[in-house]
Amino acid sequence: MDASGGRGHLLVGRSEELSALSARASDARTGRAQVVLIEGDAGYGKTELVRHFLRQSCDGFVIIQAEAEELAVDATLYLLGQLGVSTTDGPFAAGMELVDQLAEQQDRGPVALVIEDLHWADPASHDALLLAARRLREDRVLVIVTTRPDAARNAAWERFIQSDERGCRVRLTPLSVDDVVQLAKGLHIPLHRRGAERLHRHTAGHPLYVRTLLSELTPAQLAARGEDLPAPTSLALTTVSRMAQLSTDARALGSALAVLRQRAPLPVAAAVAGLSSPSQALDELIASGFVTSTPAEPGTPIEFAHPLYSTAVYEDLSPTRRQELHRAAAAVVERSAAMEHRFRAADTFDDDLAAELDGAAAGKTAAGELGTAATYLLWSSSLSAQVTVRQNRLQEAVSLALQGGETERAEGLREQLEACADSTFRNQLLGTLAWDEGDAVESEKWLTIAIERADPTVDRVPLAASLAMKAYLCVTHNRMEEGTALARRAFDLGLPDRRSDYMAWAALTVGQGAFAGAAKSVPLLAHRLPSRPDDVAVEDCDLLVLRGLLNFYGQRAEATIADLRAAVKLLRHGPIASELARAHLHLGQMLFLVGDWDGAHRHGAVALSLSSDDRQTWVGPQAHCLLSSILASRGHVEDASTHIEAARGGFEKTDSLEAYVGVILSEADLAWALGDSGRVLQLLLPFVGEGDAGSLTMLSALVWWTPLVMAAFNCGQTELANVLISQFESAAEVRGLDVQARLAGLRGRAASDGGSVQDALGLFAMSVDSFTVDDPVLDQALIRQAYGRLLLAIGERRQATDQLRAAHQILSSCGATPFLDRLAADLDRCGVRADTRRSRERFSLTDRERDVAVLVGRGLTNAEVAAELYVSKKAVEFHLGNIFGKLGITSRRQLRGIQLA
């Protein structure tokens, strides 16, 4: 609303905010995407600020706008639908579709995406918007989001803004006395300084209240002496007082519009008001500044100029009048909206309407509209005469909210839920709610109560859900035996939903793996998943990620890669996108072991980025660890150290055992790359002697053991090395891991160092002939190097050269510069000059540029690269331009022959 109800635009007291927005717009013009969160209480002028900014500072921008609506808060992806997003595959797919659309729009110029009233956004749209904002980087896009400061959902945006230089928060504050003076002057209203101070004191600087009083009071009233203004002391009372001065028809039309609670065609509002000729009433409302209309649109839609006016009018209605208007509205609006008006019109228990709402909730549940279904059940609950029925419907509503990921909404119903009669369902819901809020102790308390007090013949569904969740909780807290026992009980009852199904299978397989090794737990999933990953249904992609992880720990490289690649493909457009970051992480970890370090780096970087999207705090530290190991192994010590520090910081926040172990292993990889065998021993020896069964170390592929043994040999600790070899064999056997090729190579090293040349030659030959894709490539290269050194020492130069060249080929393909440096001396002794030039090329490409270059070099199009990296095509084009300039090339084909390690 402008200051005078239609007398032109006027904005005061917002110069700093406009400057901040302008600075961000300038950055966006240059291809650095920016996100601005504008917070302000109702009536503080968020909309007017944005409109003024768009008029004054966004010349040449493509403006795209959408506004969240309170009545659509339960309509999944309603807000994204306003932006033309058509997918129904969930928030992740919707966010990526929005990114693609914004990329297309940038062909017309820089883009300003404005989202108003985020606090009313449906949860799916909220998550999709945040994801899209995170995905936009090298894009000419300015995202402006307005919201109220007390909105619970702001926290996720604030975390993003605080952790990313692309973000900026603008908080609207009350007007100052000088601002009041300037506003009055702009409106041509006489107001001296003393009057402005009095008005400011009376309104506390609330912008809309100030504007309203300036428009309502006469100059004499504004200039009158005394402490009290002759006006009500709240905006609501001011609004009601001014409405009372209008005609009966104008008040009726305004009341009807307030009851409709949204923009409505004039004939609809008139019908609710009972007016056959509403034009004169509408003229009055428009002249008052309370209502605006759009005559150019069909039906002449009308709406309140500000939601505070609508709220004030609605709350001033008597209960009887409000009920009459809701009944009238129910008769003229569409069926889905009529349901709410019928509910609002009810003033007593109404079991018939409650039953109808119950049926409508069932229909919405079947359609996947869980938020709307929960709302209908809450209404139904309040209309139900019987306490038991009322509580059952409330609990069903909480259950649907939790299933739909609306934890905040469910939390708002906690007190009502706790007040319900003791039941297994109620206790299971309280345990689930605590789990979703991250309170494992509280969760276990309620789940235990649910399990102990349940009657299996009556409470089968909530009991099974409670057993599955507690089983998962136990396993994540290293109580494996208890967890697997609970999971088996849950299976016996039958698993009631997808979440319980996943938790039970995860608890059973991980728990079994902790006792017998991952290789022996994978077969359990054969009862649940098809053997071919491409045959797995999309709703089971979380279980496919689980199997991929178990295959990783079971050291089955090909199966791991197949499972996780298929999982990534499913998750991109599936219902469980929260698993996507984990799938990329574990895929990257396996690709690092098998020697695809470019792919490993790409998946690690994607996992790191996606982990912040979904607040998977434990994935982030592990992704840093993976990236550190890759960079260290390529000789980029400073970058590797930076990632280790980031991982350590993440470990401190998450208190995750996996992150803690990952940090130590990354430090060992860095020491190994630097040739510091003593440091490797110091870091890895504590992992030995933890026991072969009953501990989390059972879920390990033991990939760190070869460097540990080699480090012992390098430090001259032959006896320790031999002990470690025996322990390695025992640890692998109890886990069901095939490490025979590596064991033979390590024993060959022991025999070589002990002077048993013939034994050593036989063991080395057995080792290199037995290598498979399941053996880490660095282990293969280092064992071949040890073999070549022995051959060279006994004068077998040709055979030595063959082994050293094979090692060189492995290391060169990965870009393992530190290891190549040490291998070069051995090749020199064979009379072979190693060409390390290409592997030493250290271009000034950023991590993202290197990922783009690798994918383009493999023949992918820009759109395919964007899909792989979850960025826009414009970002790929931007990176590709930088890559061409830095490498001095002019075509995509030239990237195929460049070593980018």
Side-chain angles (χ1 to χ4, degrees):
M1 179 184 127
D2 63 53
S4 57
R7 286 185 285 175
H9 298 285
L10 180 62
L11 188 73
V12 299
R14 300 292 183 235
S15 58
E16 292 184 7
E17 292 85 349
L18 288 170
S19 295
L21 284 166
S22 296
R24 296 290 169 164
S26 297
D27 286 342
R29 287 181 189 273
T30 63
R32 292 179 293 171
Q34 301 292 311
V35 179
V36 181
L37 181 71
I38 300 177
E39 294 181 331
D41 289 317
Y44 264 55
K46 299 183 291 294
T47 297
E48 183 58 26
L49 171 67
V50 172
R51 290 177 180 173
H52 183 92
F53 166 72
L54 294 177
R55 289 192 302 268
Q56 300 297 320
S57 304
C58 285
D59 184 43
F61 272 76
V62 177
I63 310 296
I64 302 174
Q65 295 178 277
E67 181 178 357
E69 297 181 16
E70 181 180 3
L71 295 183
V73 71
D74 294 329
T76 302
L77 293 175
Y78 173 84
L79 181 58
L80 265 288
Q82 292 186 42
L83 299 172
V85 172
S86 58
T87 184
T88 58
D89 289 334
F92 187 86
M96 292 309 303
E97 183 179 336
L98 178 59
V99 169
D100 290 340
Q101 289 188 3
L102 293 174
E104 296 295 335
Q105 292 293 339
Q106 290 174 63
D107 289 336
R108 300 165 51 201
V111 177
L113 173 64
V114 179
I115 306 296
E116 294 200 64
D117 294 335
L118 181 72
H119 47 277
W120 293 128
D122 61 277
S125 289
H126 170 272
D127 293 347
L129 284 167
L130 182 56
L131 181 137
R134 291 183 181 278
R135 299 292 97 207
L136 296 167
R137 288 190 174 275
E138 291 77 17
D139 296 89
R140 294 193 297 162
V141 178
L142 171 65
V143 180
I144 301 175
V145 176
T146 71
T147 184
R148 294 179 185 174
D150 56 351
R153 294 173 183 165
N154 293 359
W157 289 81
E158 290 172 2
R159 282 193 297 271
F160 164 52
I161 286 169
Q162 291 171 1
S163 63
D164 198 298
E165 61 183 10
R166 290 169 294 162
C168 169
R169 178 166 58 184
V170 172
R171 288 177 170 170
L172 300 189
T173 57
L175 297 180
S176 67
V177 174
D178 289 338
D179 295 332
V180 174
V181 172
Q182 184 181 353
L183 181 59
K185 182 178 180 181
L187 295 173
H188 307 293
I189 296 174
L191 183 68
H192 52 67
R193 180 79 182 184
R194 187 173 60 252
E197 290 172 350
R198 187 165 62 118
L199 181 58
H200 179 269
R201 184 168 55 251
H202 184 66
T203 61
H206 190 291
L208 185 60
Y209 191 12
V210 171
R211 293 173 185 241
T212 301
L213 288 181
L214 284 172
S215 299
E216 177 187 5
L217 302 180
T218 65
Q221 289 174 311
L222 290 170
R225 293 180 176 274
E227 290 298 317
D228 296 323
L229 286 168
T233 56
S234 76
L235 181 61
L237 291 177
T238 301
T239 303
V240 170
S241 174
R242 291 179 60 194
M243 284 288 293
Q245 300 172 23
L246 304 180
S247 69
T248 301
D249 284 356
R251 293 198 305 274
L253 185 61
S255 298
L257 187 58
V259 165
L260 289 168
R261 295 176 62 204
Q262 62 182 342
R263 190 170 186 255
L266 178 59
V268 172
V272 175
L275 300 178
S276 58
S277 180
S279 298
Q280 186 173 348
L282 177 60
D283 288 342
E284 283 191 66
L285 287 173
I286 292 175
S288 72
F290 287 133
V291 171
T292 62
S293 70
T294 313
E297 292 187 23
T300 311
I302 63 174
E303 61 185 323
F304 275 99
H306 197 281
L308 287 178
Y309 296 150
S310 176
T311 299
V313 173
Y314 184 83
E315 292 181 350
D316 185 56
L317 296 172
S318 68
T320 302
R321 179 58 175 158
R322 191 181 300 146
Q323 186 181 49
E324 291 173 353
L325 290 171
H326 275 299
R327 285 175 179 161
V332 296
V333 300
E334 61 183 25
R335 186 176 184 277
S336 59
M339 192 73 76
E340 178 174 1
H341 287 297
R342 291 176 62 196
F343 165 69
R344 302 290 178 192
D347 56 0
T348 62
F349 291 131
D350 187 336
D351 286 325
D352 290 338
L353 179 55
E356 190 174 343
L357 285 164
D358 206 21
K364 293 296 183 182
T365 300
E369 299 178 32
L370 302 186
T372 302
T375 296
Y376 285 172
L377 282 170
L378 289 174
W379 293 345
S380 176
S381 172
S382 68
L383 295 174
S384 303
Q386 295 184 15
V387 174
T388 302
V389 174
R390 188 158 60 244
Q391 293 183 352
N392 286 342
R393 285 168 172 164
L394 169 69
Q395 292 170 37
E396 289 289 349
V398 174
S399 178
L400 289 174
L402 289 171
Q403 290 177 47
E406 296 186 63
T407 304
E408 294 167 356
R409 185 181 192 186
E411 168 60 25
L413 299 169
R414 180 193 291 275
E415 289 188 8
Q416 296 180 57
L417 185 61
E418 291 177 337
C420 290
D422 182 33
S423 71
T424 303
F425 189 26
R426 170 246 196 191
N427 297 332
Q428 178 247 319
L429 290 174
L430 288 168
T432 304
L433 180 56
W435 175 267
D436 286 353
E437 292 177 333
D439 190 342
V441 174
E442 183 74 3
S443 177
E444 182 169 5
K445 181 192 80 172
W446 285 111
L447 293 173
T448 301
I449 293 173
I451 293 168
E452 291 177 348
R453 299 179 183 176
D455 179 351
T457 61
V458 177
D459 302 319
R460 184 191 64 80
V461 170
L463 175 58
S466 299
L467 288 166
M469 180 166 286
K470 186 175 179 182
Y472 189 80
L473 185 152
C474 288
V475 167
T476 58
H477 287 77
N478 201 22
R479 289 151 52 194
M480 301 299 176
E481 186 173 0
E482 183 182 0
T484 53
L486 290 169
R488 292 188 187 282
R489 287 181 61 190
F491 282 120
D492 289 341
L493 289 170
L495 299 168
D497 53 57
R498 279 290 307 123
R499 185 179 193 182
S500 299
D501 182 64
Y502 172 76
M503 286 185 163
W505 280 107
L508 181 65
T509 54
V510 173
Q512 181 73 15
F515 289 117
K520 297 179 182 178
S521 66
V522 171
L524 294 173
L525 283 171
H527 301 290
R528 181 65 177 76
L529 292 177
S531 58
R532 277 174 33 92
D534 289 341
D535 292 337
V536 174
V538 65
E539 60 268 19
D540 289 333
C541 51
D542 53 350
L543 288 171
L544 185 58
V545 175
L546 174 63
R547 190 175 75 182
L549 174 61
L550 293 171
N551 276 322
F552 173 80
Y553 287 139
Q555 200 176 293
R556 300 178 64 220
E558 291 180 337
T560 300
I561 293 170
D563 278 349
L564 294 177
R565 286 197 193 282
V568 166
K569 185 177 179 180
L570 287 173
L571 288 163
R572 282 175 173 162
H573 303 289
I576 320 174
S578 59
E579 293 289 303
L580 189 56
R582 193 157 67 96
H584 278 288
L585 170 67
H586 299 317
L587 180 55
Q589 290 169 330
M590 180 52 80
L591 291 177
F592 175 57
L593 294 179
V594 302
D596 181 2
W597 289 6
D598 289 332
H601 185 280
R602 180 172 70 257
H603 286 286
V606 168
L608 181 61
S609 175
L610 293 178
S611 68
S612 61
D613 290 345
D614 283 308
R615 289 180 284 175
Q616 295 189 38
T617 52
W618 65 273
V619 172
Q622 289 198 69
H624 279 298
C625 290
L626 170 61
L627 294 171
S628 172
S629 294
I630 298 168
L631 292 166
S633 301
R634 283 181 157 171
H636 308 325
V637 175
E638 185 176 343
D639 292 342
S641 299
T642 299
H643 279 290
I644 288 175
E645 289 306 311
R648 185 177 289 112
F651 161 65
E652 292 171 354
K653 294 177 181 177
T654 64
D655 195 26
S656 162
L657 176 62
E658 290 173 297
Y660 168 72
V661 172
V663 169
I664 294 177
L665 293 179
S666 295
E667 290 180 325
D669 284 340
L670 177 57
W672 190 231
L674 293 172
D676 189 348
S677 295
R679 177 64 173 159
V680 173
L681 280 177
Q682 179 187 10
L683 289 166
L684 296 183
L685 271 177
F687 289 158
V688 179
E690 292 290 330
D692 290 332
S695 71
L696 278 177
T697 56
M698 288 295 293
L699 286 170
S700 170
L702 307 179
V703 295
W704 45 270
W705 214 297
T706 298
L708 173 61
V709 175
M710 287 288 197
F713 280 126
N714 294 344
C715 291
Q717 299 189 41
T718 304
E719 183 176 349
L720 172 62
N722 285 321
V723 171
L724 290 172
I725 291 173
S726 296
Q727 290 180 309
F728 185 20
E729 182 176 29
S730 298
E733 182 178 359
V734 76
R735 289 167 175 78
L737 303 178
D738 181 5
V739 297
Q740 294 307 309
R742 278 171 277 170
L743 281 172
L746 294 172
R747 287 179 175 136
R749 172 68 187 271
S752 176
D753 285 14
S756 301
V757 174
Q758 291 306 313
D759 289 344
L761 291 173
L763 288 165
F764 276 135
M766 182 190 304
S767 177
V768 298
D769 289 342
S770 303
F771 282 140
T772 70
V773 69
D774 293 332
D775 294 297
V777 292
L778 271 180
D779 292 5
Q780 295 183 42
L782 294 174
I783 288 173
R784 286 183 181 276
Q785 184 178 12
Y787 187 15
R789 285 175 173 174
L790 175 60
L791 289 167
L792 185 61
I794 63 174
E796 297 290 343
R797 184 180 298 272
R798 184 182 62 79
Q799 294 182 51
T801 301
D802 289 344
Q803 293 301 324
L804 294 173
R805 277 180 166 165
H808 186 276
Q809 183 177 0
I810 293 172
L811 296 173
S812 293
S813 67
C814 300
T817 302
F819 301 95
L820 284 166
D821 287 344
R822 293 192 282 274
L823 184 62
D826 295 325
L827 285 168
D828 284 344
R829 291 169 55 208
C830 290
V832 177
R833 183 166 184 79
D835 181 9
T836 60
R837 177 182 54 82
R838 285 176 59 190
S839 63
R840 289 176 177 275
E841 289 178 353
R842 175 57 169 149
F843 301 112
S844 58
L845 300 183
T846 65
D847 288 347
R848 180 52 55 85
E849 287 169 352
R850 194 156 45 247
D851 291 339
V852 170
V854 168
L855 291 172
V856 171
R858 293 180 180 176
L860 274 67
T861 66
N862 286 1
E864 291 169 335
V865 174
E868 286 288 322
L869 300 179
Y870 304 99
V871 297
S872 74
K873 288 181 288 187
K874 288 299 178 183
V876 174
E877 293 172 7
F878 173 86
H879 289 307
L880 203 52
N882 288 342
I883 292 165
F884 282 9
K886 291 179 179 181
L887 302 188
I889 61 177
T890 57
S891 75
R892 304 166 70 93
R893 185 177 298 275
Q894 290 174 276
L895 282 171
R896 299 182 183 181
I898 294 180
Q899 171 62 261
L900 296 166

